[in-house]
Amino acid sequence: MSERVYLDHASAWPLRPEARQAWTDAAALVWADPTRSHREGRTARDLLDRATVTTAAALGADEGSLVWTSGGTEAVHLAVLGAARAAERRGEPRTHLVCSAVEHSSVLRACERLRDEHGYTLDVVGVDGAGLVDPDAVAALVGDRTLAVHVQHANHEVGAIQPTNEIAHVCRRVGALLHVDACQTVGQLGVTLEQLGADLLSASGAKFGGPAGTGLLAVGRRGRVHALLEGDERQRRRRSGALDVAGIAATAVALEVARANLQTERSARELVRRHLRRRLPEAVPDVQVHGPLADAHPGIVAVSALYVDGEALVSRLDEAGYALHSGSSCASTSGEPSHVLMAMGVLTHGHVRISIGPDLDVAGADAFVAAYAEVVERLRRSSGPRRS
Amino acid sequence: MSELPTSDDAVEVDATGLSCPMPVIELAKAIDKVAVGRSVRLLATDPAAKVDVPVWCRMQRQELRAQEERDRVWHFEVRRVH
């Protein structure tokens, strides 16, 4: 087949045309430092302010509560490490953290850094077979020494949506902060600080159709972060350094467009997601579909096939015209299986994540299933046991 | 996981040094060859085996009789049920 089908939206959403236009328009207009008082600076400031106001409103955050970062990873690090810095500066004796076993590795690494380099204690709460965190398990771990709980909104590999609101109640009882990594859901599900119960919310522009290189942290009324990048007074001393105003303007536009299309995109994807979950095991023997059927991310389908190397699956499907990602490590240099699938206790090898966009319809999904079935069959014939 | 004594008449399959999905493929091939009621003892160093071997047993409805790690090698005993 000649036409490419992109099924890796959870890694990077294609740049939305409106965002591309906003990006080039802004880049032509704005280059000066928005903190300067000359006219060129004021022009940049106006554009930055407009982007900040609309984005903050979309997230149900105060305008002054938004911190722009270089992407989702930096936003997460600011939430984890910046909250710890702020607490230390206030002299708060809270040095205990909780995160889930299925967090994005950027969250896990940041938490581990506090544990390994700054003497914090870290409890990693497990998940069930669908990838869900039990709020009672969090409640059993937190106490008056807990600084923060870090839980994603939706899992990046299997799409499980976590019960952040119930976890928020647990956090409030003990005076701990809740940071929600919403990189997978902002612009794709209705997400506000209040809806999630979050004190800190991290997001990535590249995941909803903005340019890569812009992320944000929304800081709720109880949230406090202190800069990791220091050197000037920008962004209320929560993040120094010159801002990519054009990228921010484009990100704000991408979020506006994503929100305007949210219901349409969401229902179209949900329909195809459920179709794929049903069809894949019908079409291919010995596969396991992961994550919850209901209350899940509308664009993520995760499936593992017995007797198949995940990386080989990805490259054969790429040859067949499909772009997707494998969480399997069979052929990768890391050699470590996906920590998400391991925590769930589900099949880690032969895994692919199908993260669908709004353009894939049921017929397109059926064509993918046929291609997937053929590739799995071919790979099994070459290496797997012959099943009668 | 049950701490059953492993049976002496199990067929041993050494999949140490093999990465996924090879240990599970070797297990499936070996189970195909033993009689119902007999067991396969699988050795594996692949970190995925810890999860994937029990999952294979559930998916294929075969019995995982023992699973333990000794000196960074996973030892599994799987009994052919059908």
Side-chain angles (χ1 to χ4, degrees):
Chain A
M1 68 185 280
S2 57
E3 192 147 339
R4 300 285 302 170
V5 179
Y6 183 75
L7 299 174
D8 199 16
H9 286 73
S11 293
W13 189 287
L15 189 63
R16 292 180 187 265
E18 300 88 344
R20 185 185 309 137
Q21 190 62 53
W23 201 11
T24 51
D25 290 353
L29 185 72
V30 168
W31 68 92
D33 183 340
T35 63
R36 297 294 180 249
S37 55
H38 44 63
R39 184 188 298 177
E40 289 78 0
R42 290 199 307 275
T43 306
R45 179 89 229 164
D46 287 345
L47 195 60
L48 177 62
D49 285 348
R50 277 210 302 278
T52 305
V53 166
T54 57
T55 304
L59 299 172
D62 298 335
E63 180 190 334
S65 77
L66 216 59
V67 187
W68 295 104
T69 67
S70 64
T73 297
E74 193 198 333
V76 158
H77 275 68
L78 184 57
V80 177
L81 301 161
R85 291 200 78 192
E88 284 168 21
R89 291 167 67 89
R90 287 198 307 275
E92 263 195 61
R94 290 178 177 263
T95 53
H96 174 243
L97 306 168
V98 177
C99 71
S100 92
V102 295
E103 292 307 300
H104 189 272
S105 42
S106 61
V107 175
L108 291 169
R109 291 296 96 77
C111 289
E112 287 162 2
R113 187 196 290 188
L114 286 178
R115 180 194 64 196
D116 298 342
E117 298 175 20
H118 300 274
Y120 283 65
T121 51
L122 170 64
D123 277 308
V124 180
V125 63
V127 294
D128 66 10
L132 291 164
V133 176
D134 177 358
D136 290 342
V138 177
L141 292 170
V142 297
D144 57 10
R145 303 277 300 171
T146 308
L147 170 65
V149 174
H150 301 277
V151 177
Q152 65 206 177
H153 184 203
N155 182 263
H156 50 292
E157 283 186 38
V158 302
I161 290 185
Q162 305 297 353
T164 60
N165 255 307
E166 291 168 62
I167 294 168
H169 289 304
V170 168
C171 291
R172 296 229 155 79
R173 277 207 301 272
V174 297
L177 297 173
L178 174 62
H179 161 233
V180 177
D181 165 9
C183 285
Q184 285 298 345
T185 53
V186 167
Q188 302 181 57
L189 297 172
V191 171
T192 67
L193 283 166
E194 192 182 4
Q195 279 170 326
L196 297 182
D199 300 304
L200 300 165
L201 182 154
S202 45
S204 160
K207 306 274 196 220
F208 52 76
T214 297
L216 62 91
L217 182 70
V219 183
R221 287 187 184 84
R222 296 168 71 246
R224 298 281 180 278
V225 295
H226 187 79
L228 306 179
L229 299 180
E230 295 181 286
D232 58 46
E233 303 293 306
R234 289 186 176 93
Q235 302 207 73
R236 303 189 178 196
R237 300 183 65 187
R238 292 173 306 194
R239 202 273 195 177
S240 297
L243 286 174
D244 173 8
V245 177
I248 289 168
T251 300
V253 168
L255 184 55
E256 278 186 86
V257 174
R259 291 181 72 241
N261 298 327
L262 198 143
Q263 290 310 335
T264 324
E265 287 185 354
R266 183 178 175 176
S267 51
R269 294 162 87 201
E270 179 66 16
L271 184 79
V272 173
R273 181 182 78 89
R274 287 180 182 242
H275 183 74
L276 279 170
R277 283 181 66 104
R278 194 176 61 250
R279 285 290 302 130
L280 285 162
E282 286 173 356
V284 187
D286 294 329
V287 299
Q288 200 179 46
V289 176
H290 309 306
L293 172 61
D295 295 328
H297 189 290
I300 295 178
V301 177
V303 60
S304 298
L306 273 177
Y307 317 127
V308 174
D309 172 348
E311 289 301 322
L313 199 47
V314 165
S315 59
R316 295 296 173 283
L317 284 165
D318 187 36
E319 287 161 15
Y322 294 98
L324 33 69
H325 167 70
S326 170
S328 292
S329 62
C330 310
S332 75
T333 45
S334 81
E336 283 301 310
S338 151
H339 67 270
V340 172
L341 301 177
M342 291 280 280
M344 291 165 65
V346 297
L347 192 63
T348 74
H349 74 251
H351 170 257
V352 288
R353 177 187 66 187
I354 306 151
S355 55
I356 52 185
D359 299 337
L360 187 74
D361 57 13
V362 169
D366 282 335
F368 169 78
V369 171
Y372 173 85
E374 190 187 327
V375 166
V376 169
E377 171 65 22
R378 211 163 3 119
L379 288 170
R380 281 177 178 167
R381 261 205 313 271
S382 66
S383 70
R386 296 183 189 281
R387 316 297 298 167
S388 46
Chain B
M1 186 46 52
S2 60
E3 290 297 323
L4 292 170
T6 56
S7 40
D8 291 333
D9 61 349
V11 172
E12 187 163 294
V13 174
D14 184 357
T16 56
L18 298 178
S19 62
C20 66
M22 290 313 293
V24 170
I25 290 174
E26 293 304 321
L27 171 63
K29 285 177 177 169
I31 283 283
D32 268 353
K33 289 190 191 115
V34 302
V36 169
R38 295 283 304 278
S39 294
V40 170
R41 192 179 301 123
L42 177 74
L43 311 184
T45 47
D46 172 44
K50 177 176 95 168
V51 168
D52 286 358
V53 171
V55 170
W56 180 88
C57 294
R58 281 203 303 278
M59 287 173 82
Q60 301 300 321
R61 301 183 318 284
Q62 303 292 8
E63 184 193 355
L64 180 63
R65 300 193 66 194
Q67 170 179 2
E68 59 171 336
E69 193 181 15
R70 292 199 297 267
D71 302 329
R72 291 201 290 273
V73 178
W74 281 99
H75 297 247
F76 304 93
E77 186 174 331
V78 179
R79 185 169 153 273
R80 181 168 184 179
V81 177
H82 61 93

